[in-house]
């Protein structure tokens, strides 16, 4: 189903192809993914304004105490990549 952000009714015929959105009512043409992302954002903003609570589960606890648990980066030769240091003014 396809719609333009903030506009109704929804018409399946608006989705001209997998990648193309064409509004049959007003003629707006947009990339379908871009239009879809705007629709999702618009719906989220409406829910936020109404005070809706998130139903997303909490992330699992990080029991390692060592950050995100990602592996260190390596180069093609297997050498570890050095992380750039941030320079702090006066430090």
């Amino acid at each position: 189903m396809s719609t333009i952000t903030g506009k109704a009714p929804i018409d399946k015929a608006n989705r001209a192809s997998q990648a193309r959105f064409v509004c049959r009512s007003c003629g707006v043409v947009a990339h379908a993914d871009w239009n879809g992302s705007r629709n999702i954002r618009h719906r989220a903003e409406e829910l936020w304004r109404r005070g809706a609570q998130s139903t997303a589960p909490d992330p699992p606890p990080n029991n390692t105490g060592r950050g995100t648990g990602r592996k260190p980066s390596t180069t093609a030769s297997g050498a570890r990549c050095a992380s750039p240091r941030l320079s702090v003014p006066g430090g």
Side-chain angles (χ1 to χ4, degrees), residues 45-83:
E45 287 172 347
E46 285 297 315
L47 290 171
W48 182 265
R49 266 195 285 270
R50 293 180 195 159
Q53 298 294 315
S54 173
T55 58
D58 288 334
N62 182 356
N63 295 330
T64 64
R66 295 177 31 209
T68 62
R70 291 181 283 163
K71 295 181 180 179
S73 299
T74 57
T75 63
S77 66
R80 288 199 59 198
C81 296
S83 296

Side-chain angles (χ1 to χ4, degrees), residues 84-91:
R85 300 265 184 222
L86 297 176
S87 60
V88 179

Side-chain angles (χ1 to χ4, degrees), residues 12-18 20-22 24:
K12 289 182 182 182
N14 287 341
R15 189 71 177 256
S17 70
Q18 178 68 26
R20 190 168 181 213
F21 174 88
V22 180
R24 304 276 184 221

